Amino acid sequence: MGFEITIEKTQNSRIGQFDPKNIGFGKIFTDHMFLAHWNGNEWTNARIVPYGPLSLSPATSAIHYGQSIFEGMKAFADKKTGQPILFRPRENWKRLNRSAERMVMPVVPEELFMDGLKSLIQLDAEWVPKTEGGSLYIRPYMFATDDFIGVKPSETYTFAIFCCPVGPYYTKALKIKVEEEFSRAAPGGVGFTKCAGNYGAAMYPTLRAQQEGYDQVLWTDPLTHTLVEETGTTNLFAVFHNEVITPKMGNTLLAGITRDSVIQGLRELGHSVIERELSVRELKDRLEAGELKEIFITGTAATLIRIQGFGHAGHYHEVLEQGDSSVSDGVKNWLDGIRLGETEDIFNWNERV
Ligand code: COI
């Protein structure tokens, strides 16, 4: 099955206004976007058009009942050739469809996802930053478009992709607050999906944490609030002397693609990585015993960033000061080497456009 993608190029490219030395995160959008329509039966009208507003009915189902899912992925400029490299895009395609299934939304065929993505990146290739730390952040997403306000799965959907040239999401080590009152996800819920509501529901606890001087929330298990899960935007790793621990996946955590890449990278570099339950108690005890070398977090937008310290039950625990960054630096360099085409892509993660 092939999808015909029509292309309408912009007559007014904004590339001249783009300053690759001053990018920030998420405020600049490239010239084009990809759109396709699910008509209740099949994907139709696959097209690339100039980036711009979408026209929606006030009754658009996604706005009211939240059938809205997304992905975050990146393209990098090959250090030698400048050519765009997509990093593990098919993992994002698979995760989008896991979210779609849980939210009763249509599956996006691999060909539609990949052809739309590659055509868009080809057209906007000039927007992929070549500056240190820069990349093209890509946002594939799908939302329900029926104009109907009864509660039921929508019959129609839009699948779209747009892109933003970005610099680092976080520019310094973070202070995180261990969350003991609010929960991000519950067993049997939608925590493993990348649905919009997971992020909306996190905003109040995150705001509270920020008002207390923290950058982010560290979510814990919803039943006991004693086991570490993930932060509002990333997965988490704790580095001890002879092992690296990351919370094991369950249906309350988002299966990070950067998390998976970092686990594989750490193992390549000779570290022992264990996916298991990690309690706040263990973090505190082993920090006190001098065994905790560092905590770092991983995500597509955040990449890999260290944790300055964490707050728990009204007390702040500094981690960075007594730590050592050799493990996180090592795996970050390993990952950057692959993503920028500088070192051998041993796992075949890169797809060149
Ligand atoms: C990503 O890392 O791609 C995400 O979706 C997280 C979001 C906070 C930007």
Side-chain angles (χ1 to χ4, degrees), residues 25 70-73 95 137 139 169 194 199 232-233 299-302:
F25 191 99
F70 70 96
E71 277 300 316
M73 55 194 293
R95 194 172 62 183
Y137 185 80
R139 176 51 61 88
Y169 190 81
K194 220 162 159 57
Y199 293 81
T233 50
T300 300

Side-chain angles (χ1 to χ4, degrees), residues 18 23 25 28-30 72-77 84-86 117 120-122 124-129 133-139 162-167 300:
F18 165 52
I23 313 181
F25 191 99
I28 307 165
F29 305 98
T30 68
M73 55 194 293
K74 276 181 173 170
F76 299 85
I85 298 175
L86 289 162
L117 176 64
L120 181 63
I121 303 304
Q122 242 160 26
D124 283 347
E126 266 189 276
W127 288 85
V128 184
S135 59
L136 189 72
Y137 185 80
I138 303 165
R139 176 51 61 88
F162 65 79
C163 309
C164 326
V166 296
T300 300

